[in-house]
Amino acid sequence: MKKRKGRYQHTSPNKANNRKYTSYEDVPLREYKDSDPVPNNLTKKFLKVFLVVFLSVVALLALTNLNYLTPDNISHWIQYDLLGKTEGEGYPVKYNGTLVSPGNFSIMDKAPVYCSDTSIVVLNSNAGEYQNRQHAFANPILKTTPSCSIVYNSDASSFKLLNRNNITYNGTADKKILDADISTNGSYGLLTSGSDYLSELSVYKSDNTKKYSYSFADYYINKVSVNGGGTRAALSGLSAKNGSVVSVIYVLDFSQENYMQKYEVEDSYIYDVCYLDNDNVLAVGNTAAYHINVDNGKRTMIPYNSRTLTTYCFSKSYGLLLSLSANPDGRDCDIVAVNGNGEKETTVSTDSRIVSLDYKNNKITALIPSEIRIYDLEGKQLTSMKVASDAKKACMSDNNTLYILGTSNISKLDVEYK
């Protein structure tokens, strides 16, 4: 029988010497390279071109945003733009801080903006943050326009200017700020307590250079409203005369040394004043509202007829909304709409207390406990929607969107018309 070879058969040395093999331990490292590598000179050229383009873009952005290149804004860009913190997770969203007063919640550039006891925040439509800036104001007050805002520390001297994305200026007044206002073109007025006078108005251009000042010696002026073009202002204040309160309304033109118009109102306290886009002035008092035609100097009183003012809302584009109640406790309110010519355009009777009013897109938004009602300027109710019982203010962003301030959060409501 033929002998079977074993599985592991010994190979002769001669045959082993004839086998070809490669030991990678003996091959130089340069021979491990890819057979078709990217040339070094091409890689270097690409990196050089990329670096030149990148630096050019950075230089262009730096030149066009030179005023905003502060450490705070750079930090904001890294956190909220580069790291994607602006996306948001939807409404409702808890606001920063422990308190937001209704007066410090508004709409700027169709975005909800608020100032709490700790922060100034602008939100996007999905509750992400365009910006979130801390402040150290003990008593912050927010005033807004459609494109920019001012926040000042009442009875102190600090203030901030902002647009939707940035704090554009951090300022300090010479004296304590009593009130402030900003126009749509960025110019602004600071009403301060005076050393030699009771009050003083200082007006600044959008580049923060001072262009006008006016001092008040006879009246304690505490409210200011700058017109949209930043050329005029309406102010209100009070004094005492023969043991009674006398209120006053001033109209100033920043091109004139003396005041344009001055109106005294006896036995009445004026709460607020507004310079309208049609160049007229409206003021709200405790017993009546007042309309001033700046062109001819005519003053018109809009009496409350013994009703109690519960809340109000100015609109520079339209006029004034009043909530008047026949009951001292504020029940069963009437909404009175006064247009820019001082005419009562409509009166809407409700069966409830009015918490807040807003005017936008030719519509009146009324917040009552647990409900929002929207009316047109003829007084017709267009829709009603349920809201949380803790709602404190409702602001219309556009024709179909409302933002609601609650006791601890901000919610969004899509409007459905009947």
Side-chain angles (χ1 to χ4, degrees):
M1 178 181 269
K2 197 171 183 180
K3 212 171 192 180
R4 203 171 177 187
K5 291 184 179 179
R7 187 174 181 185
Y8 299 102
Q9 188 174 1
H10 179 71
T11 306
S12 67
N14 290 333
K15 290 183 179 180
N17 290 336
N18 293 331
R19 178 183 296 170
K20 294 182 179 180
Y21 68 91
T22 301
S23 173
Y24 284 99
E25 294 179 1
D26 299 328
V27 177
L29 289 175
R30 61 177 178 271
E31 294 185 15
Y32 280 80
K33 291 182 179 179
D34 225 347
S35 59
D36 189 20
V38 177
N40 287 333
N41 58 347
L42 183 59
T43 303
K44 290 178 181 179
K45 286 181 180 179
F46 173 78
L47 290 175
K48 286 180 181 179
V49 171
F50 175 80
L51 186 60
V52 169
V53 172
F54 176 77
L55 292 177
S56 299
V57 171
V58 170
L60 180 61
L61 290 174
L63 288 174
T64 56
N65 296 275
L66 194 59
N67 294 333
Y68 305 129
L69 291 180
T70 64
D72 191 32
N73 286 338
I74 293 172
S75 175
H76 164 265
W77 177 77
I78 293 173
Q79 293 184 49
Y80 296 99
D81 292 328
L82 187 62
L83 299 182
K85 291 188 178 180
T86 61
E87 294 180 2
E89 297 180 357
Y91 291 91
V93 60
K94 297 190 73 172
Y95 55 69
N96 289 5
T98 58
L99 176 66
V100 177
S101 66
N104 284 345
F105 176 72
S106 188
I107 300 295
M108 178 179 63
D109 201 7
K110 295 187 177 182
V113 53
Y114 70 85
C115 182
S116 71
D117 52 339
T118 62
S119 305
I120 303 167
V121 181
V122 185
L123 299 173
N124 66 19
S125 59
N126 201 39
E129 295 175 345
Y130 285 119
Q131 63 174 312
N132 182 343
R133 312 291 183 149
Q134 289 189 339
H135 67 78
F137 295 173
N139 188 21
I141 305 294
L142 170 69
K143 296 286 189 73
T144 64
T145 75
S147 58
C148 55
S149 298
I150 183 171
V151 178
Y152 66 93
N153 195 6
S154 180
D155 206 30
S157 58
S158 300
F159 66 95
K160 296 176 182 290
L161 306 179
L162 63 143
N163 57 25
R164 189 185 69 176
N165 297 304
N166 294 293
I167 299 293
T168 57
Y169 185 69
N170 290 289
T172 303
D174 295 334
K175 304 175 185 68
K176 291 182 179 180
I177 302 174
L178 305 174
D179 194 24
D181 195 29
I182 188 168
S183 68
T184 52
N185 69 0
S187 59
Y188 57 97
L190 301 177
L191 185 63
T192 60
S193 58
S195 53
D196 299 326
Y197 299 91
L198 294 176
S199 309
E200 182 177 352
L201 175 67
S202 299
V203 182
Y204 299 84
K205 300 177 183 178
S206 58
D207 62 1
N208 306 301
T209 57
K210 191 173 183 178
K211 69 174 182 178
Y212 179 82
S213 64
Y214 192 92
S215 299
F216 302 89
D218 300 325
Y219 291 89
Y220 180 79
I221 305 298
N222 54 15
K223 289 293 181 180
V224 59
S225 175
V226 180
N227 70 349
T231 58
R232 292 179 177 178
L235 304 98
S236 65
L238 70 156
S239 183
K241 185 178 181 180
N242 299 324
S244 61
V245 174
V246 177
S247 292
V248 68
I249 301 170
Y250 278 94
V251 179
L252 302 179
D253 189 306
F254 302 153
S255 64
Q256 302 177 15
E257 291 186 7
N258 203 2
Y259 60 81
M260 285 184 63
Q261 296 167 12
K262 174 185 172 183
Y263 304 88
E264 289 186 343
V265 182
E266 295 186 0
D267 297 323
S268 179
Y269 184 90
I270 292 180
Y271 297 130
D272 208 350
V273 67
C274 180
Y275 205 114
L276 304 177
D277 290 341
N278 68 352
D279 212 30
N280 292 333
V281 172
L282 279 166
V284 172
N286 61 333
T287 59
Y290 302 90
H291 176 270
I292 297 171
N293 187 314
V294 176
D295 288 338
N296 59 27
K298 182 181 177 182
R299 187 186 74 181
T300 303
M301 184 174 70
I302 302 110
Y304 300 159
N305 297 324
S306 301
R307 291 174 294 179
T308 301
L309 177 70
T310 62
T311 188
Y312 65 91
C313 169
F314 281 124
S315 168
K316 289 189 175 184
S317 64
Y318 171 71
L320 172 65
L321 300 177
L322 299 166
S323 171
L324 302 174
S325 173
N327 300 293
D329 61 1
R331 293 178 292 113
D332 301 329
C333 292
D334 291 340
I335 302 171
V336 179
V338 181
N339 64 27
N341 296 318
E343 303 163 342
K344 288 185 181 180
E345 192 158 358
T346 188
T347 298
V348 180
S349 296
T350 73
D351 55 356
S352 183
R353 176 174 61 91
I354 301 295
V355 179
S356 79
L357 290 168
D358 188 39
Y359 174 84
K360 196 161 289 175
N361 302 322
N362 296 318
K363 294 179 179 63
I364 299 168
T365 300
L367 171 63
I368 69 175
S370 303
E371 185 182 351
I372 285 178
R373 298 174 186 173
I374 298 179
Y375 303 89
D376 63 18
L377 286 176
E378 295 179 353
K380 178 185 176 182
Q381 183 173 317
L382 302 176
T383 189
S384 64
M385 295 158 288
K386 295 295 182 182
V387 293
S389 59
D390 68 342
K392 298 190 293 184
K393 188 175 182 180
C395 292
M396 182 174 279
S397 171
D398 56 44
N399 199 42
N400 299 300
T401 308
L402 286 167
Y403 290 98
I404 316 297
L405 174 68
T407 55
S408 61
N409 61 27
I410 295 169
S411 57
K412 180 181 178 181
L413 187 62
D414 294 326
V415 181
E416 297 181 358
Y417 295 98
K418 295 178 180 178

